[in-house]
Amino acid sequence: IESSCDETAAAVIRDGREIISSVVATQIEEHKLYGGVVPEIASRRHCESIVAVVDEALQKAGMKAQDVDAIAVSYAPGLIGALLVGVNFAKGLALSLDKPLIPVHHIRGHIAANYLAPPELEPPYLCLVASGSHSHIVKVNDWTEFETIGQTVDDAAGEAFDKAARAMGYPYPGGVHIDKAAQTGDRKKYQLPHPHTANPYDFSFSGLKTAVINLIHNARQKGEEIDVNSLAACFQYTVADILTQKFIAAAKEGGYKTLALAGGVAANSGLRSMLQQRADYNRMKVYYPPLALCGDNAAMIGCQAYYEYKAGHIAGSDLNAVATMRLDRVTW
């Protein structure tokens, strides 16, 4: 079960690698009205949807709740109200069925999405996680052993995409609109900054987002037209360049030849293309999750849950939701 943000999702997974069923109820159309996710609305919609979503996942799997071996739930990080809906539903379900309850860190789930598509990926490898709220470079030492060597110090990549897109006049979520517009734009038309960080593997996108907003405002004040497609192309290229440069540099320093990409921004065509080109140049193999599994979903939670379960990571009825938690310092 996954309910960390604005998707209510449930899935049935076999042996951590096979999707038996996967259902996602999205709230995007409602949140578009406000230009982003409204936490209170998200929590209420999870309450309204979770029973039907879980029932549909079981029906599509041809199973009854009693047939599953364990109940897994995303419990951190995320919007606290949204997480609480999934966590408490999962706790009640596990208790009523007398099944083990498996707590899953949401970002670990994003990484695990790569295990749901052939060819099979196995640790150790280096993973770039880029989503609406997260930007990390992670050493995946084992199925449940992670080490974060870089992360965002302010805005995440996906957050920057959404905020820059809104300034360009695109609706939420903005990443897909920037990706589409960038296909016909000139990525060299506008000069955008590459923010620096003290840790060479950390990320900073706040200044880049602000540069785009200021560029648009300054042009409007002067009565100048903005070539939105080219600005989208410049922005997308800059974000992809920052992410890829740091990721490849970390891989070189760590001696990694196997890489993976994860998170909602992993669906961005500019990032996927640039990472593939630079990985090929450095003779590195890079894995990507299927596009349908880049965003929030419960299949990735079920996948990671399999490995957490094998490692003995079982929670009790006192499991609580946590809004902020490092994926390499997991507690429950």
Side-chain angles (χ1 to χ4, degrees), residues 30-73:
E30 186 166 9
H31 292 293
K32 273 184 180 178
L33 299 172
Y34 308 97
V37 178
V38 180
E40 173 65 16
I41 292 175
S43 302
R44 290 177 180 273
R45 297 301 171 261
H46 287 309
C47 290
E48 295 168 0
S49 303
I50 193 164
V51 173
V53 168
V54 171
D55 283 346
E56 185 178 350
L58 288 167
Q59 288 171 9
K60 287 186 174 181
M63 300 171 66
K64 295 181 179 180
Q66 293 87 345
D67 298 329
V68 303
D69 298 304
I71 308 296
V73 63

